[in-house]
Structure formats: C-alpha cells, structure tokens
Amino acid sequence: MVNSSALKKAGLSTNDVKLVNMDQSSASVAFAKGSVDAWVTWDPYTATAQVNQGAKLLTNGTGLAKNRDFLISTQNYAKTHTALSKLLTTYINDDMTWANNHHTQLIAMLSKTLKLSDAVIQKMVERRTYAMALVKADSSIVDEENQIANTFYQEGVVTEKVDMKTTLVSGSD
C-alpha cells in the first residue's frame, strides 16, 4: 500500500508511479528480480533488501506516521478484562525497556527466532525504539491513527470513514 503522503514528501503523486498491489513475499521476489523499481514495506523486509540486495532507502515514515505496533483484542474481551490489559502492558513494556538496553542479546535472539542474519536484524533493531503503553482516547496516538484512516478514506482504500476513538476500549478507562 502506497501512502500518498510519502509520495508527496518525495515530490511525487500517484500519477508519477505505477502502483502494484502485492503480498510481501511476491513483492520481495519482484524487487529482487528487478521487476519493480521501488517497494513500500516494513522491517525486516526493508533491512533484508538493504543488506542482501544493496537497496537504497528512499524515504521513511518520519514526519508521516510513527512506527507503532498494537496489542489488540475483541472489544468484548477488552471490556471484561481491563486489569489483564494493564498487566500485559506493564510487563510487555518491561520487555521493551530490556530490548532498548540490550541490543546485542536482542539481535542474537531475533536472528535465531526469525532465521535472518545478524546484519539484517541489527539494521532493524538499531533504527527503532521499543515501548508499550495503554492508549487513551484523548491521546496523540489516536489522532495519528485517525489521520492515517482519513488518508485511506480519501484515497478510496476504505469505503467508510473510521473514527479510531470509537474502536478504543481498554485505554479509555
């Protein structure tokens, strides 16, 4: 999925490129074979292409979107297990703090688990900061996610306007 904001950041529009929608495996192969000139993806795919194929990073999400991961559940589960959500967030954040302070051990662990080279994992690990926190309905994170949802709506990727505040359950207490 190409974010039109990234194209704008590079001084381009969707009229300047031919968009091809592929799953990550197909896109990786197409990029490696030279069938596509550029690829919008995420780590570890980005790091793999950089390390193994000498790919050049044209742009990243800086100024466009934060690189966030979310722990999600069904709304019913979240409503009935708010204490568990808080405990999970606390303990996962402890793990994230460890990850930020122990890159060497993290790289070794992820290389083994993901079956990727240390060089790929090192590139991936060293360009991010790990953290976990409950998301509150009035947070900047929700505003950022709404901006992304609005872009998808404006581009016709989704057909209904989405308000991320209405999907938030556990962080709203």
Side-chain angles (χ1 to χ4, degrees):
M1 175 75 52
V2 172
N3 184 327
S4 62
S5 300
L7 288 172
K8 287 178 192 171
K9 179 180 175 183
L12 301 169
S13 75
T14 54
N15 295 328
D16 297 314
V17 298
K18 180 180 177 188
L19 302 177
V20 181
N21 191 10
M22 298 178 173
D23 63 62
Q24 288 302 313
S25 295
S26 299
S28 176
V29 170
F31 185 79
K33 289 183 174 182
S35 302
V36 295
D37 296 320
W39 175 23
V40 177
T41 191
W42 55 87
D43 274 330
Y45 300 105
T46 303
T48 300
Q50 287 178 284
V51 170
N52 295 341
Q53 298 159 3
K56 179 183 177 189
L57 184 64
L58 298 176
T59 189
N60 60 30
T62 302
L64 301 176
K66 305 276 187 195
N67 183 11
R68 298 194 191 279
D69 296 316
F70 296 93
L71 178 62
I72 63 171
S73 72
T74 63
Q75 292 217 5
N76 184 50
Y77 188 89
K79 286 177 185 175
T80 57
H81 296 88
T82 55
L84 179 59
S85 294
K86 289 177 182 175
L87 281 173
L88 278 171
T89 302
T90 298
Y91 290 121
I92 292 172
N93 191 55
D94 290 347
D95 289 344
M96 299 296 110
T97 299
W98 178 89
N100 287 323
N101 295 320
H102 297 89
H103 280 190
T104 302
Q105 295 97 316
L106 179 63
I107 291 164
M109 186 173 64
L110 288 175
S111 292
K112 182 178 179 182
T113 302
L114 298 175
K115 296 179 177 38
L116 294 169
S117 72
D118 286 354
V120 167
I121 300 299
Q122 180 177 354
K123 184 168 280 296
M124 182 180 82
V125 165
E126 290 183 353
R127 65 171 148 223
R128 72 179 291 187
T129 302
Y130 299 91
M132 178 66 67
L134 282 174
V135 178
K136 301 291 182 182
D138 61 351
S139 75
S140 63
I141 294 170
V142 173
D143 293 337
E144 291 167 12
E145 294 302 309
N146 271 332
Q147 287 176 350
I148 293 168
N150 288 337
T151 299
F152 286 163
Y153 177 72
Q154 291 164 359
E155 294 289 325
V157 175
V158 295
T159 57
E160 291 184 33
K161 197 157 178 75
V162 176
D163 180 0
M164 298 308 291
K165 288 181 184 178
T166 62
T167 64
L168 187 64
V169 176
S170 67
S172 59
D173 0 80

